[in-house]
Amino acid sequence: MKTPPTPCWRLLLVLLTLRALPALAHGGLPETSNLSLRRGSSEDFISGSTFGAVISRDHGQTWRWLCPEGMGIGAWRPERYFWLTGGPLLAATGSALIRSSDGACTWNTHPFFKDTWVTNLAVHPTDERIMYATTGKPSVANGIFRSEDGGETWTAVTVLSLDVRYSAIRIAPSDPQRIYASGQDSAGMMFFDRSNDGGQTWTRLPQPLPQFQRPYDLNLLLVSDILPEVVWARVSAQGFSYLLKSTDGGATLTQAMQTADVIVGAEASADGRTVWVSTPVHMYRGRGDEPFAELPLPNGNACALRVGALLYGCGSNWVHDWALGLSHDEGTTWEPIVGLSSIQGSHVCPAGTPVQELCPSRWPQLAAILGAPTYGDGGVDSPPDAGTSDPGEPLPPPKKGCSATTGLVPAAILLLTLTLGRRSRRGPSPRT
């Protein structure tokens, strides 16, 4: 069955319905915010979004919805998910550390972190039993924690301190003994903590950043695949966002890019010479010593994930006709993977699991916003018999609609999308 065009009035319905959906109202328009693949598999994808997450188990051919209530995340949005080779899924939400061991049908909050906020998570590149987490809740003791059993138990590897709030942690892919964490102290001083021995000892690297007046929210973004001394970070100051680069293991940072938008992520090629920077509005690309340039797509929303020679990206379905795309030429051109209107209902889970109990009844309301099919019981059962397609067949994204029309309505929607997109995509800030 051919998917009908998405009418412009549907976007007005979105705006009205946002008030009735707390998770969406907090995050703005429904859109994707990150993408993760299961390690060692090209079949399994999970994408975080402003409305929970969407999951595919067939190389992106079909996608289904995980509602925030079924995941237990509320309005919090992880910056990424870790889907381990053996099947477990984990994510630091900015509040709880969540985990699923049954294919995303049941999610549990780890009790070890019940009194603090887990701001970031990093998993060893080859030994998935080893992972690190950072915490950053004001007025409680925060630190860096290590697990050696795949996230079941955790032990502090730094002295816990009321004066410190950590923001991010990364492991160098080429040298897993090298670990970096970013944060700030009670005086607002930005810093990197660096370990050269797998988290046994740590060195504090203050970052006064004298070129900025009162910098805030310094966040570690990325470590080079091949050079453990090369690190990228982001800092915001005076209404601008800056991409900073270190080639000496975080001891000094130099400016690589400046934008009036908010930098939310970065990705790099295997050799580190090409870097993609994501904001809620655009994606930028820098090659070698050339200045960063804005890419034509995606617009309205962006994220980047490189897997080998492939570049995956988020895009705003309200500006163009895809929410997740794939590029074979480093972001110059994109082919759609999925549009929001082709999500085929809630995730199929066994009876009695939280996702099965909570998500199907919520699907029709979200489907009406997205222009997606509303088969029977929340989209998880077979569609009606007459004149409909098999729910196992992927529905192509609509080729027409407000993003393909002219006039004032699409312009207004674009302006609204860009305005809402400037909000943080990570949910409530741990610093508020």
Side-chain angles (χ1 to χ4, degrees):
M1 180 182 70
K2 183 178 180 180
T3 304
T6 302
C8 291
W9 57 260
R10 189 179 304 285
L11 291 170
L12 300 178
L13 176 63
V14 169
L15 304 180
L16 294 174
T17 310
L18 289 178
R19 296 181 63 88
L21 294 175
L24 295 185
H26 183 87
L29 291 173
E31 54 187 11
T32 54
S33 57
N34 57 69
L35 180 66
S36 300
L37 276 68
R38 180 176 175 178
R39 291 186 174 193
S41 170
S42 61
E43 296 295 315
D44 299 328
F45 296 73
I46 185 168
S47 175
S49 71
T50 58
F51 51 96
V54 290
I55 189 169
S56 174
R57 305 302 303 269
D58 56 8
H59 197 64
Q61 295 302 302
T62 58
W63 293 80
R64 291 186 176 271
W65 180 48
L66 297 165
C67 63
E69 297 83 358
M71 302 175 71
I73 61 175
W76 295 91
R77 282 175 279 155
E79 74 166 27
R80 67 174 296 187
Y81 291 83
F82 289 89
W83 199 337
L84 306 185
T85 305
L89 281 146
L90 299 96
T93 66
S95 176
L97 176 67
I98 59 173
R99 178 186 174 100
S100 174
S101 298
D102 63 355
C105 292
T106 303
W107 294 82
N108 297 304
T109 297
H110 202 294
F112 183 83
F113 298 104
K114 63 183 178 63
D115 296 324
T116 187
W117 291 345
V118 184
T119 53
N120 217 243
L121 181 69
V123 179
H124 193 284
T126 57
D127 187 349
E128 295 178 345
R129 297 170 299 174
I130 299 174
M131 51 189 68
Y132 299 85
T134 54
T135 63
K137 186 176 183 178
S139 303
V140 303
N142 295 300
I144 302 173
F145 301 84
R146 174 184 169 107
S147 175
E148 297 181 355
D149 54 12
E152 295 292 337
T153 61
W154 294 86
T155 303
V157 294
T158 58
V159 176
L160 302 185
S161 173
L162 290 169
D163 295 329
V164 170
R165 285 177 282 168
Y166 286 95
S167 57
I169 189 164
R170 297 289 188 270
I171 302 172
S174 61
D175 178 9
Q177 293 293 101
R178 174 67 63 87
I179 308 167
Y180 296 91
S182 59
Q184 70 178 70
D185 61 22
S186 58
M189 177 66 74
M190 308 292 112
F191 63 81
F192 279 167
D193 276 359
R194 184 183 70 201
S195 175
N196 297 327
D197 54 12
Q200 301 303 311
T201 60
W202 294 84
T203 300
R204 177 63 48 90
L205 302 171
Q207 300 292 343
L209 302 176
Q211 65 269 44
F212 306 118
Q213 296 180 14
R214 299 184 63 185
Y216 61 93
D217 81 344
L218 174 74
N219 271 272
L220 175 66
L221 296 176
L222 187 66
V223 182
S224 167
D225 275 6
I226 60 174
L227 299 173
E229 299 292 320
V230 176
V231 181
W232 289 270
R234 175 211 74 197
V235 69
S236 299
Q238 292 78 57
F240 290 92
S241 236
Y242 301 86
L243 179 71
L244 305 178
K245 181 180 180 180
S246 174
T247 58
D248 56 11
T252 59
L253 293 167
T254 58
Q255 181 177 321
M257 174 188 168
Q258 173 184 334
T259 176
D261 200 9
V262 178
I263 294 174
V264 295
E267 182 64 288
S269 60
D271 62 8
R273 291 188 54 79
T274 301
V275 178
W276 298 269
V277 172
S278 305
T279 80
V281 182
H282 298 294
M283 184 180 293
Y284 300 84
R285 182 179 63 198
R287 285 173 164 163
D289 296 327
E290 298 175 2
F292 279 79
E294 177 188 316
L295 296 177
L297 291 173
N299 284 322
N301 175 48
C303 77
L305 172 69
R306 182 186 60 81
V307 180
L310 302 178
L311 184 68
Y312 294 90
C314 304
S316 177
N317 214 148
W318 309 106
V319 182
H320 41 68
D321 288 330
W322 50 271
L324 293 171
L326 171 65
S327 176
H328 296 269
D329 52 14
E330 298 189 331
T332 301
T333 61
W334 295 86
E335 61 183 59
I337 296 176
V338 64
L340 298 183
S341 64
S342 62
I343 299 172
Q344 297 190 19
S346 57
H347 185 35
V348 180
C349 290
T353 58
V355 168
Q356 173 60 24
E357 292 289 325
L358 297 172
C359 298
S361 62
R362 292 168 166 79
W363 171 247
Q365 189 178 28
L366 178 61
I369 297 173
L370 305 181
T374 54
Y375 307 135
D377 181 16
V380 300
D381 293 330
S382 297
D385 292 335
T388 60
S389 61
D390 183 342
E393 293 295 324
L395 297 178
K399 297 302 182 183
K400 298 181 180 180
C402 287
S403 62
T405 62
T406 59
L408 297 178
V409 172
I413 293 300
L414 174 59
L415 177 62
L416 177 64
T417 302
L418 300 184
T419 301
L420 290 175
R422 290 179 183 270
R423 297 180 178 183
S424 170
R425 294 193 312 217
R426 295 185 59 188
S429 171
R431 299 189 178 90
T432 58

